[in-house]
Amino acid sequence: MDAAQLSEVIARFPATSAQRRFWFQEQAKPGDPELNIAVRWEIRGAFKAADIETAFQQIAERHEILRTRFVEDAQDLWQEVVHQVRFRLGVVDLRPMPAQDHEPAWPPWRVNWPRTPLT
């Protein structure tokens, strides 16, 4: 799938009042992570990160809200549903570290990642 298909808009709707409030908050404080919801899973055992990434990609393909972006024009704020998005899983691989060092390695990541602006 080429870049044009990835960003092809398949539906457009006016933003809701709740979405407008979040949009205006972002405009007032760009990049503020206050509304980010960070999730971290610790997975033990054998697995392939690519399999998990594929599962999340399939979920995004089924649910329009996960392929929705917000755009503003001279008239209004809109929700645009795009044909497809590419999901990329962020992975922190602790296997190279001794097991006793795993937990101490997490605190900087736990603090910094949720504060990273979504792009």
Side-chain angles (χ1 to χ4, degrees):
M1 185 158 293
D2 65 23
Q5 287 176 300
L6 287 174
S7 61
E8 176 189 352
V9 176
I10 60 172
R12 190 174 197 206
F13 310 99
T16 67
S17 59
Q19 291 166 334
R20 290 174 194 282
R21 284 192 301 274
F22 288 122
W23 179 264
F24 291 131
Q25 185 171 350
E26 170 63 24
Q27 301 311 299
K29 295 165 70 176
D32 183 6
E34 182 176 311
L35 300 174
N36 289 5
I37 300 173
V39 177
R40 162 183 83 100
W41 290 295
E42 181 177 338
I43 302 174
R44 296 173 190 250
F47 71 94
K48 293 180 184 172
D51 292 342
I52 296 170
E53 190 171 274
T54 297
F56 276 100
Q57 182 67 48
Q58 290 172 350
I59 292 168
E61 289 168 5
R62 283 195 308 265
H63 299 281
E64 287 183 349
I65 193 62
L66 300 176
R67 294 179 281 115
T68 299
R69 64 186 180 193
F70 295 93
V71 295
E72 186 177 35
D73 63 19
Q75 298 153 343
D76 211 347
L77 177 63
W78 301 91
Q79 303 175 59
E80 288 186 345
V81 181
V82 296
H83 178 63
Q84 186 178 27
V85 294
R86 289 197 176 128
F87 179 83
R88 296 291 176 246
L89 180 68
V91 176
V92 177
D93 187 354
L94 299 178
R95 288 179 297 179
M97 299 174 66
Q100 67 269 16
D101 294 340
H102 286 190
E103 193 61 31
W106 278 106
W109 186 83
R110 275 188 224 164
V111 171
N112 296 328
W113 181 68
R115 293 182 181 160
T116 304
L118 301 174
T119 57

